Amino acid sequence: MSNTIAVDCWLLSSGVSSFTSTSKLYFPANFSRTAHFGSNTIRASATTNGSSEGVIYKALSCGRRALLSMITLPLVMPCETINNSVGAIAADESFRLREEIRKVLSKGKAAGVLRLVFHDAGTFEIDEKIGGMNGSIVYELDRPENKGLKKSLKILDKAKSQIDLVQSVSWADIIALAGAEAVSLCGGPSIPIQLGRIDSMVPDPEGKLPEESLDATSLKQCFERKGFSTQELVALSGAHTLGSKGFGNPTVFDNEYFKILMEKPWLSSGGMTSMVGLPSDRALVEDDECVGWVSKYAEDQSLFFDDFKNAYTKLVDTGATWMKAL
């Protein structure tokens, strides 16, 4: 399997003319480099291709001199130097996106942003091959189950508008990355996010999100249709530790959700304790398989963090459509 390097050239001009073209030039796989020519920049970023071909370069809106420089760049650089820079550009791009997201995100907004992730990605169905992390949530905000998410999307739109001034980014990537940042900002695990998702141009079918009233058996069946195990269901449910559902500090990402579930405070007579959690949260401790994982995460926060990170990555990757090489 080789890597496809997409070279985006912007603000590049020979001073005489500029043009838009696409060129395919084949070099050893795993090439990645940022080159500077005066005030101009050529940036390369790697994405997985899956073919046996060499690297393909894509030149967009490049001047003649910039295109010539791009062609000759690998000829004047040692192979080991080229190979050592693999992934550096992708990391730089991810850092730039995270930086813009941090400017608009706060702990008080984290729960809403994380909910946005689940409502965009949670529509995925294996058999029907629909839904997933595709940015379709922007067309679905008027649905009852998405009430309140307009505010979270508006927050992220501020970051996206700034990023788009330099290079276009999909809603799917922004939302997936923002959810990871929300978790980290509130003290949770750091979650690496692959970029390159393509946005859907239409809304996902209705009725695909797990309902809040489901019992444990129905929840497990629902998540199984989406490709998730019972363990992953419980780990992802731990996201409810953020927000106003009654599971500890609403702006701290920890394992209090599981500790409180094990205490079953809603069984107490009266008071606010009867309002803790959703029916689907409470159902987890009424099922032998689910409560086993609830108990483990209540005792071991590090285990919860590790499993949540893996389940979150799977959530935002499953069903996504990815950019492909030309």
Side-chain angles (χ1 to χ4, degrees):
M1 182 179 294
S2 64
N3 285 334
T4 299
I5 309 300
V7 179
D8 295 324
C9 308
W10 65 93
L11 301 178
L12 294 176
S13 174
S14 63
V16 177
S17 63
S18 62
F19 58 90
T20 299
S21 66
T22 299
S23 303
K24 291 187 178 181
L25 307 171
Y26 296 92
F27 296 95
N30 298 330
F31 174 78
S32 180
R33 172 62 62 178
T34 299
H36 301 275
F37 299 91
S39 61
N40 301 323
T41 303
I42 292 179
R43 171 166 293 163
S45 59
T47 58
T48 301
N49 184 0
S51 71
S52 59
E53 297 177 343
V55 172
I56 302 173
Y57 286 88
K58 180 182 177 186
L60 299 175
S61 301
C62 292
R64 294 171 183 170
R65 184 171 58 189
L67 183 59
L68 178 61
S69 300
M70 179 189 71
I71 295 172
T72 59
L73 182 63
L75 304 180
V76 297
M77 298 174 63
C79 288
E80 59 270 20
T81 301
I82 292 173
N83 290 332
N84 286 340
S85 65
V86 171
I89 300 306
D92 175 67
E93 196 160 308
S94 177
F95 176 80
R96 183 158 49 87
L97 266 62
R98 288 179 184 268
E99 196 171 47
E100 290 298 331
I101 290 170
R102 290 189 195 109
K103 292 178 182 178
V104 300
L105 189 61
S106 66
K107 290 184 177 181
K109 300 171 182 175
V113 168
L114 193 54
R115 179 170 169 248
L116 191 66
V117 176
F118 280 74
H119 282 233
D120 191 32
T123 55
F124 178 69
E125 296 278 345
I126 293 177
D127 293 339
E128 298 182 44
K129 295 181 173 60
I130 58 171
M133 195 79 230
N134 57 15
S136 67
I137 190 71
V138 301
Y139 307 112
E140 303 158 6
L141 296 175
D142 290 330
R143 296 178 181 178
E145 64 269 27
N146 294 330
K147 183 179 180 181
L149 289 180
K150 287 183 180 179
K151 183 182 295 186
S152 298
L153 195 72
K154 187 175 181 180
I155 291 168
L156 297 187
D157 187 46
K158 295 178 182 178
K160 188 177 186 301
S161 62
Q162 291 301 309
I163 296 166
D164 283 342
L165 292 175
V166 179
Q167 186 170 359
S168 180
V169 61
S170 68
W171 269 114
D173 276 350
I174 282 287
I175 294 171
L177 199 56
E181 280 300 301
V183 170
S184 176
L185 177 65
C186 294
S190 176
I191 307 175
I193 300 295
Q194 180 181 346
L195 302 179
R197 296 167 189 78
I198 298 174
D199 283 337
S200 171
M201 296 294 103
V202 296
D204 286 337
E206 296 188 50
K208 299 302 180 182
L209 290 176
E211 296 179 12
E212 297 176 354
S213 59
L214 292 180
D215 60 20
T217 299
S218 299
L219 270 176
K220 290 193 289 186
Q221 291 172 347
C222 178
F223 272 74
E224 185 178 358
R225 291 195 298 271
K226 301 176 186 300
F228 291 87
S229 66
T230 298
Q231 175 259 319
E232 291 168 328
L233 154 65
V234 177
L236 288 172
S237 296
H240 285 174
T241 193
L242 292 180
S244 56
K245 296 180 178 66
F247 296 105
N249 190 321
T251 60
V252 175
F253 192 95
D254 54 21
N255 66 338
E256 281 297 307
Y257 171 82
F258 302 105
K259 292 180 179 180
I260 293 174
L261 279 183
M262 292 300 294
E263 296 171 358
K264 300 183 180 181
W266 53 88
L267 297 180
S268 302
S269 57
M272 293 300 293
T273 55
S274 63
M275 304 296 291
V276 172
L278 301 170
S280 56
D281 293 316
R282 302 174 189 181
L284 297 179
V285 289
E286 304 302 330
D287 178 85
D288 290 341
E289 187 179 11
C290 291
V291 76
W293 287 107
V294 172
S295 177
K296 288 182 180 180
Y297 295 148
E299 296 172 359
D300 191 339
Q301 180 168 279
S302 295
L303 176 64
F304 164 52
F305 278 14
D306 287 341
D307 287 353
F308 181 87
K309 177 174 64 176
N310 293 333
Y312 181 92
T313 301
K314 181 177 177 178
L315 177 70
V316 298
D317 287 354
T318 302
T321 301
W322 301 89
M323 293 182 186
K324 297 180 180 179
L326 294 178

